Amino acid sequence: MNDPSDQACHRPAVAAALPAAAGAGTGMGMIVVQVTNAAVLRRRCGRAWAERLGDRLAPMLAAMVRPERVVVAGQDRVELDLVHGGEVGVDEALRAITTAFARPVTIGGAAVAVELAIGVALTTASGTNETCLIEEAEEACAQARHSGAPIIRRVGVPRAASAPDDLSADLGRGIDNDELLLLYQPKVHLRRRTVASLEALVRWRHPVRGMILPADFIPLAEESGEIAALTLWVLRRATADGRMLAAMGYGLPIYVNVSGVLLTDEAFIREASALVTEANVSIGFEITETSVIRDPAAAIGNLNRFAAIGIPIAIDDYGAGLSSLAYLKQLPACELKIDKLFVTQLTSSHRDPLIVRSTIDLAHALEMEVVAEGIESATALALLTVMGCDLGQGYFISHPLDLGRLAAFLGRHRDGWTQDELPSPLARLRAATRQG
């Protein structure tokens, strides 16, 4: 293995190795590792420390992966070139990285929690262009920021087999074969600065296409009739994970997204109610307000059945669709989630703060707690707290996490956030004003 500190240009070496590796029955690959909480680390440890973060991470990653070459491609980014004999070794390398960084690590004398997005591109095709390999790894890393888990892309694998029709046909098999992955994004109580609940987010680990996000397969599930089986899978996994978390001392409510098409499905209503009743875990349902429009009487009736057996109801994406006060006042909801469209533009729009503030006041008048999703900056978090928003979630607080990383996250913040990690909203507002 080459010296991990070697930062010489390595692209020609990768290009030359591609045909030889493919001909030898092995493959080439690249892993792009990006630190997603670099801004938090810079505030905590200082700019001088953060500017060498990539240099500090490179030897640690090299020891776990044993790449052909490692390059520090930025202050918070490391690239690792591979010659691999199969995906088993790559999976082991990824497991080693995620396990090592699931807990705080000591870097440059500081014990810090480092959150990573990991994108991988692999190929055994002799005609693969090295630029294509780099681009695929970068795209995989960008997707990993949203998925909360490493993304692997297979360069040179025909994608015709993954057309929407075929993808829809694959979904039932994927559910049966346990190809789904459940991640959790914490919701934080903004005044207490403690984790209040979790949202369960499903991903699909397709054997050909790799990680697929919900926007690409939930509509197919609704059209194909697989949405009930998919949601029941999520409920079973969430209740099992909830019991494991409770055994560790983290008995938090878990919210599961329920499609509007299921609110009038009597078979689903019965099975979901039985699952939650027998689970001995606090499970809530998130539904979009517009999902009741198809059959308001039946949908509202079934939501009342859920509420009657103790299932909390949250209204998701409020403001994104045709929000109606006529429906809002009828829904047995205890939580209203402001759509992230308004939250992400909170500091760049004059109207959005007015809409958000009025929505918070309306929800409180209806005796609902308010959740702001899509918090991506310190200033947005501070403004929402001052406005009286109850709960928040978003990348600034945490990316979606698998069960192992979630347990580590909850362990780090068992007693809430320290002043350095999540300062008070007024302190953040003063800092933002000074910077402006």
PDB file of all heavy atoms in Angstrom, residues 17 46-47 52 66 69 84 93 96 119 195 213 249 271 347 412 424:
ATOM      1  N   ALA A  17      -4.506   1.444 -14.752  1.00  0.00           N
ATOM      2  CA  ALA A  17      -4.763   0.187 -14.065  1.00  0.00           C
ATOM      3  C   ALA A  17      -6.076  -0.454 -14.466  1.00  0.00           C
ATOM      4  O   ALA A  17      -6.256  -1.653 -14.309  1.00  0.00           O
ATOM      5  CB  ALA A  17      -4.754   0.418 -12.547  1.00  0.00           C
ATOM      6  N   GLY A  46     -12.089  24.588  16.019  1.00  0.00           N
ATOM      7  CA  GLY A  46     -11.329  25.701  15.478  1.00  0.00           C
ATOM      8  C   GLY A  46     -10.984  25.509  14.011  1.00  0.00           C
ATOM      9  O   GLY A  46     -10.911  24.393  13.497  1.00  0.00           O
ATOM     10  N   ARG A  47     -10.761  26.625  13.337  1.00  0.00           N
ATOM     11  CA  ARG A  47     -10.507  26.594  11.891  1.00  0.00           C
ATOM     12  C   ARG A  47      -9.199  25.889  11.559  1.00  0.00           C
ATOM     13  O   ARG A  47      -9.132  25.102  10.615  1.00  0.00           O
ATOM     14  CB  ARG A  47     -10.489  28.019  11.345  1.00  0.00           C
ATOM     15  CG  ARG A  47     -10.250  28.088   9.848  1.00  0.00           C
ATOM     16  CD  ARG A  47     -10.351  29.514   9.344  1.00  0.00           C
ATOM     17  NE  ARG A  47     -11.690  30.037   9.535  1.00  0.00           N
ATOM     18  CZ  ARG A  47     -12.032  31.291   9.229  1.00  0.00           C
ATOM     19  NH1 ARG A  47     -11.110  32.123   8.756  1.00  0.00           N
ATOM     20  NH2 ARG A  47     -13.275  31.705   9.419  1.00  0.00           N
ATOM     21  N   ARG A  52      -7.135  20.839   8.471  1.00  0.00           N
ATOM     22  CA  ARG A  52      -6.335  19.631   8.278  1.00  0.00           C
ATOM     23  C   ARG A  52      -7.145  18.356   8.517  1.00  0.00           C
ATOM     24  O   ARG A  52      -6.578  17.278   8.692  1.00  0.00           O
ATOM     25  CB  ARG A  52      -5.127  19.657   9.223  1.00  0.00           C
ATOM     26  CG  ARG A  52      -4.160  20.804   8.940  1.00  0.00           C
ATOM     27  CD  ARG A  52      -2.819  20.524   9.588  1.00  0.00           C
ATOM     28  NE  ARG A  52      -2.251  19.268   9.095  1.00  0.00           N
ATOM     29  CZ  ARG A  52      -1.367  18.527   9.765  1.00  0.00           C
ATOM     30  NH1 ARG A  52      -0.976  18.913  10.974  1.00  0.00           N
ATOM     31  NH2 ARG A  52      -0.900  17.422   9.264  1.00  0.00           N
ATOM     32  N   ARG A  66      -7.184  -0.235   3.022  1.00  0.00           N
ATOM     33  CA  ARG A  66      -5.978  -0.676   2.316  1.00  0.00           C
ATOM     34  C   ARG A  66      -6.100  -0.425   0.805  1.00  0.00           C
ATOM     35  O   ARG A  66      -6.056  -1.348  -0.007  1.00  0.00           O
ATOM     36  CB  ARG A  66      -5.705  -2.164   2.587  1.00  0.00           C
ATOM     37  CG  ARG A  66      -5.375  -2.424   4.050  1.00  0.00           C
ATOM     38  CD  ARG A  66      -4.843  -3.830   4.251  1.00  0.00           C
ATOM     39  NE  ARG A  66      -4.365  -4.003   5.614  1.00  0.00           N
ATOM     40  CZ  ARG A  66      -3.163  -3.640   6.039  1.00  0.00           C
ATOM     41  NH1 ARG A  66      -2.317  -3.072   5.204  1.00  0.00           N
ATOM     42  NH2 ARG A  66      -2.798  -3.831   7.286  1.00  0.00           N
ATOM     43  N   ARG A  69      -4.204   3.678  -3.482  1.00  0.00           N
ATOM     44  CA  ARG A  69      -3.713   5.027  -3.241  1.00  0.00           C
ATOM     45  C   ARG A  69      -4.805   5.834  -2.554  1.00  0.00           C
ATOM     46  O   ARG A  69      -5.986   5.587  -2.748  1.00  0.00           O
ATOM     47  CB  ARG A  69      -3.300   5.707  -4.545  1.00  0.00           C
ATOM     48  CG  ARG A  69      -2.527   7.004  -4.323  1.00  0.00           C
ATOM     49  CD  ARG A  69      -1.870   7.482  -5.592  1.00  0.00           C
ATOM     50  NE  ARG A  69      -0.988   6.468  -6.166  1.00  0.00           N
ATOM     51  CZ  ARG A  69       0.062   6.751  -6.942  1.00  0.00           C
ATOM     52  NH1 ARG A  69       0.351   8.005  -7.211  1.00  0.00           N
ATOM     53  NH2 ARG A  69       0.792   5.794  -7.438  1.00  0.00           N
ATOM     54  N   HIS A  84     -10.018  -4.398  -6.520  1.00  0.00           N
ATOM     55  CA  HIS A  84     -10.766  -5.332  -5.679  1.00  0.00           C
ATOM     56  C   HIS A  84     -11.015  -6.644  -6.417  1.00  0.00           C
ATOM     57  O   HIS A  84     -11.092  -6.698  -7.640  1.00  0.00           O
ATOM     58  CB  HIS A  84     -12.099  -4.724  -5.237  1.00  0.00           C
ATOM     59  CG  HIS A  84     -13.066  -4.482  -6.364  1.00  0.00           C
ATOM     60  ND1 HIS A  84     -13.978  -5.417  -6.765  1.00  0.00           N
ATOM     61  CD2 HIS A  84     -13.242  -3.411  -7.181  1.00  0.00           C
ATOM     62  CE1 HIS A  84     -14.692  -4.930  -7.770  1.00  0.00           C
ATOM     63  NE2 HIS A  84     -14.248  -3.712  -8.041  1.00  0.00           N
ATOM     64  N   ALA A  93     -14.836  -3.460   4.009  1.00  0.00           N
ATOM     65  CA  ALA A  93     -14.176  -2.172   4.204  1.00  0.00           C
ATOM     66  C   ALA A  93     -15.174  -1.106   4.649  1.00  0.00           C
ATOM     67  O   ALA A  93     -14.907  -0.328   5.575  1.00  0.00           O
ATOM     68  CB  ALA A  93     -13.472  -1.739   2.922  1.00  0.00           C
ATOM     69  N   ALA A  96     -16.159  -1.659   8.193  1.00  0.00           N
ATOM     70  CA  ALA A  96     -15.102  -1.217   9.110  1.00  0.00           C
ATOM     71  C   ALA A  96     -15.161   0.296   9.319  1.00  0.00           C
ATOM     72  O   ALA A  96     -15.015   0.786  10.450  1.00  0.00           O
ATOM     73  CB  ALA A  96     -13.737  -1.631   8.565  1.00  0.00           C
ATOM     74  N   GLY A 119     -19.497   7.320  -0.808  1.00  0.00           N
ATOM     75  CA  GLY A 119     -19.934   6.900  -2.136  1.00  0.00           C
ATOM     76  C   GLY A 119     -18.892   6.003  -2.773  1.00  0.00           C
ATOM     77  O   GLY A 119     -17.688   6.278  -2.695  1.00  0.00           O
ATOM     78  N   VAL A 195     -33.521  14.729  22.253  1.00  0.00           N
ATOM     79  CA  VAL A 195     -34.240  13.982  21.216  1.00  0.00           C
ATOM     80  C   VAL A 195     -35.603  13.581  21.762  1.00  0.00           C
ATOM     81  O   VAL A 195     -35.700  12.963  22.835  1.00  0.00           O
ATOM     82  CB  VAL A 195     -33.448  12.736  20.782  1.00  0.00           C
ATOM     83  CG1 VAL A 195     -34.235  11.959  19.733  1.00  0.00           C
ATOM     84  CG2 VAL A 195     -32.083  13.135  20.231  1.00  0.00           C
ATOM     85  N   LEU A 213     -33.956   5.724  -3.415  1.00  0.00           N
ATOM     86  CA  LEU A 213     -34.630   6.587  -2.456  1.00  0.00           C
ATOM     87  C   LEU A 213     -36.146   6.487  -2.597  1.00  0.00           C
ATOM     88  O   LEU A 213     -36.659   6.101  -3.659  1.00  0.00           O
ATOM     89  CB  LEU A 213     -34.172   8.029  -2.641  1.00  0.00           C
ATOM     90  CG  LEU A 213     -32.675   8.273  -2.429  1.00  0.00           C
ATOM     91  CD1 LEU A 213     -32.338   9.739  -2.673  1.00  0.00           C
ATOM     92  CD2 LEU A 213     -32.253   7.858  -1.030  1.00  0.00           C
ATOM     93  N   GLY A 249     -32.242   1.759  26.742  1.00  0.00           N
ATOM     94  CA  GLY A 249     -32.584   2.947  27.520  1.00  0.00           C
ATOM     95  C   GLY A 249     -33.080   4.113  26.696  1.00  0.00           C
ATOM     96  O   GLY A 249     -33.194   5.225  27.213  1.00  0.00           O
ATOM     97  N   GLU A 271     -54.695  -4.779  10.180  1.00  0.00           N
ATOM     98  CA  GLU A 271     -53.395  -5.390  10.458  1.00  0.00           C
ATOM     99  C   GLU A 271     -52.443  -4.389  11.118  1.00  0.00           C
ATOM    100  O   GLU A 271     -51.705  -4.744  12.047  1.00  0.00           O
ATOM    101  CB  GLU A 271     -52.778  -5.942   9.172  1.00  0.00           C
ATOM    102  CG  GLU A 271     -51.560  -6.805   9.441  1.00  0.00           C
ATOM    103  CD  GLU A 271     -51.177  -7.679   8.263  1.00  0.00           C
ATOM    104  OE1 GLU A 271     -51.904  -7.691   7.250  1.00  0.00           O
ATOM    105  OE2 GLU A 271     -50.134  -8.359   8.364  1.00  0.00           O
ATOM    106  N   THR A 347     -34.472  32.000   5.968  1.00  0.00           N
ATOM    107  CA  THR A 347     -33.547  33.131   6.134  1.00  0.00           C
ATOM    108  C   THR A 347     -33.324  33.904   4.840  1.00  0.00           C
ATOM    109  O   THR A 347     -32.549  34.858   4.821  1.00  0.00           O
ATOM    110  CB  THR A 347     -32.191  32.623   6.659  1.00  0.00           C
ATOM    111  OG1 THR A 347     -31.655  31.669   5.735  1.00  0.00           O
ATOM    112  CG2 THR A 347     -32.359  31.959   8.014  1.00  0.00           C
ATOM    113  N   ARG A 412     -24.422   9.706  22.643  1.00  0.00           N
ATOM    114  CA  ARG A 412     -23.659  10.953  22.760  1.00  0.00           C
ATOM    115  C   ARG A 412     -24.517  12.084  23.318  1.00  0.00           C
ATOM    116  O   ARG A 412     -24.016  12.990  23.973  1.00  0.00           O
ATOM    117  CB  ARG A 412     -23.100  11.369  21.397  1.00  0.00           C
ATOM    118  CG  ARG A 412     -22.036  10.449  20.846  1.00  0.00           C
ATOM    119  CD  ARG A 412     -21.269  11.132  19.721  1.00  0.00           C
ATOM    120  NE  ARG A 412     -22.096  11.488  18.602  1.00  0.00           N
ATOM    121  CZ  ARG A 412     -22.355  10.697  17.563  1.00  0.00           C
ATOM    122  NH1 ARG A 412     -21.858   9.472  17.540  1.00  0.00           N
ATOM    123  NH2 ARG A 412     -23.103  11.107  16.565  1.00  0.00           N
ATOM    124  N   SER A 424     -27.379  27.997  22.492  1.00  0.00           N
ATOM    125  CA  SER A 424     -28.723  28.541  22.654  1.00  0.00           C
ATOM    126  C   SER A 424     -29.114  29.345  21.426  1.00  0.00           C
ATOM    127  O   SER A 424     -28.267  29.912  20.733  1.00  0.00           O
ATOM    128  CB  SER A 424     -28.772  29.450  23.884  1.00  0.00           C
ATOM    129  OG  SER A 424     -28.025  30.630  23.641  1.00  0.00           O
TER     130      SER A 424
END
